[in-house]
Amino acid sequence: MSALDLIPAPNPVGRAHAVWVHARTEAWLLLRNGEQLLLALIIPLGVLLLGRFIGSQFIGINALAGSVLAMGVWSTGFTATAIATGFERRYGVLERFAATPLTPTGLVLGKAVSVIMITLAQLVVLGLAAALLGWRPSPTISEVGVLLLTLPLAMISFVSLALLMAGRLRAEITLALANVVHLVIVVCGGLVVPLAAHPAGLGALVGLLPTAALGEAFRAFADPAAVASGWPVLVSAAWAAATVLLARKAFRWI
Amino acid sequence: MLVAEGLGVDLDRHRILIDLDLRVRAGESTVLLGPNGAGKTTFVRACTGLVAPSSGTLTVCGRRPARAAAEGRIGLMPQVAGAWSGIRAGELLNHLAALHRDPLPLAPLVERLGLGSALTTAYRRLSGGQQQAVNLIGALLGRPELVFLDEPTAGMDPRARRTTWGLVTELHTAGVAVLLTTHDMIEAAELADQIVIIDAGRARLSGTPAELTASDRSLEDVYLTATENSADLQSGPVT
């Protein structure tokens, strides 16, 4: 009945290709998922519109654009990654693919590449939307430099925190907790509200968060009135180093 | 093809596998029988590199398990779903095939397992038997040397079960080594060249089906006797 040739002949693709295949699939599934799309685009766009038309007396369009871009990165890097990974772990996706030529390391790299792809697409869409609403950035070279260093470091810390949560907790708890943390950080984590708008003591404390570092780096880039400093790079580098170590130690595949 | 010698695995400070010896040869099917919690799935996870041995040695295709997996030498049919919640069955299989340069053609496998119209359905909406069929195809796509089938026919209807048995028989005819876990004694007797009964993490009995049933006892009787002290032998904390 069958003309199947089952004689063993393994011949895996190269590691880089396997990572790309995985990243492509993960990004496509993320884009198809309504809840993830809500987090990644709809809510940041809503905040942009609300801030522009209702809250313009509190925050100008330039600072608002920086805040919303930072919020987009946080949504994808932490919240979407935590929720997706929690359910991948529960559904045995990690178990299945760890036993393929992709390997566990390739799986994490594939996830990272998919997060980068989604984040870049988000930044383009949100940036264009902000430009349509009047955002006119004019960053200095040092502001661009601070952002280019802070952005990947903050993303590494967000993804590591997401893996730390998803790799230890049950999927349902990760879903609930990631959404709560998302909201708390958006409101209180220096992402949307500039540090200068916080009371002095609280501002210094919030300023130690990687979300505040990213928010300030984006606002310095986006708002000609803001001035870049080097601390977002230091804060995000410290968080990236600590969270990568923690995630490597604590993450469980099953 | 697979050699475990004195294998021990500890998880969360509990001994899950203890001093386990087991061999699977090319072109042979080894069936792992044991009650729930005996350590069968943990053994499969150790063989795919997902959990690390605490003691003893374990080689898969002559290599470390993770290396064998990276080289595409093993195929895994997991007991759990093993798929993203939003992916369609066909997308999952194409994704798995894309990890190999020369994968088996999908169409004849899909036809054999009667999955044609299910490929465009979300994996999570498939019946249990259809999900198992997708998982079986996923394990074979990369033309592996050694296949792990973790309860491959659980949830399958009798026809799908017979088709799966036929494929497993063809696999060892083609020279593929098969390690299969099951609770189904008929399946074990039908497919096994060798049966290993494990309980509380230890191998209790092993042999060919003919050897195990030589005294006119059914395989089920042999299994029940070998595992009758199961409750007393639960694998315990590491001391």
Side-chain angles (χ1 to χ4, degrees), chain A:
Chain A
M1 174 179 176
S2 165
L4 276 173
D5 177 8
L6 296 170
I7 292 171
N11 189 6
V13 297
R15 187 65 55 83
H17 185 71
V19 168
W20 170 242
V21 166
H22 200 76
R24 210 175 44 192
T25 301
E26 286 225 352
W28 176 235
L29 290 171
L30 202 69
L31 283 174
R32 243 176 27 193
N33 183 320
E35 292 160 30
Q36 308 286 13
L37 211 57
L38 187 76
L39 274 172
L41 276 181
I42 310 297
I43 293 176
L45 279 174
V47 171
L48 194 60
L49 288 169
L50 279 175
R52 173 69 181 84
F53 294 111
I54 296 175
S56 55
Q57 68 269 39
F58 303 112
I59 186 166
I61 182 63
N62 290 323
L64 178 67
S67 294
V68 167
L69 291 172
M71 187 182 163
V73 176
W74 165 247
S75 302
T76 299
F78 173 74
T79 319
T81 303
I83 294 169
T85 309
F87 282 96
E88 284 167 18
R89 186 166 158 253
R90 177 193 169 151
Y91 292 143
V93 177
L94 304 183
E95 181 170 359
R96 184 201 287 273
F97 284 101
T100 67
L102 181 64
T103 76
T105 306
L107 199 150
V108 173
L109 287 175
K111 190 173 283 300
V113 172
S114 105
V115 168
I116 291 168
M117 285 160 59
I118 296 281
T119 303
L120 289 177
Q122 253 182 311
L123 293 178
V124 168
V125 172
L126 294 173
L128 284 174
L132 283 175
L133 294 171
W135 176 42
R136 297 293 178 266
S138 55
T140 63
I141 289 176
S142 65
E143 286 164 348
V144 172
V146 166
L147 181 62
L148 286 180
L149 289 171
T150 306
L151 178 59
L153 289 167
M155 280 179 71
I156 289 169
S157 65
F158 297 166
V159 171
S160 299
L161 284 168
L163 295 180
L164 191 61
M165 181 184 281
R168 296 300 289 199
L169 303 177
R170 284 175 42 209
E172 294 81 359
I173 295 175
T174 297
L175 173 67
L177 195 58
N179 277 312
V180 169
V181 171
H182 174 85
L183 283 175
V184 168
I185 288 293
V186 164
V187 176
C188 311
L191 262 181
V192 175
V193 181
L195 281 183
H198 289 70
L202 185 62
L205 207 62
V206 172
L208 297 174
L209 295 174
T211 45
L214 185 68
E216 291 298 298
F218 259 120
R219 280 185 287 273
F221 169 87
D223 187 357
V227 180
S229 73
W231 72 260
V233 180
L234 293 176
V235 169
S236 53
W239 274 90
T243 52
V244 164
L245 286 175
L246 268 175
R248 278 182 69 93
K249 192 169 172 57
F251 188 79
R252 288 184 180 177
W253 297 94
I254 46 178

Side-chain angles (χ1 to χ4, degrees), chain B residues 150-165:
Chain B
D150 202 356
E151 300 191 18
T153 57
M156 281 187 176
D157 64 46
R159 188 177 301 281
R161 191 169 69 144
R162 288 279 173 183
T163 304
T164 300
W165 289 359

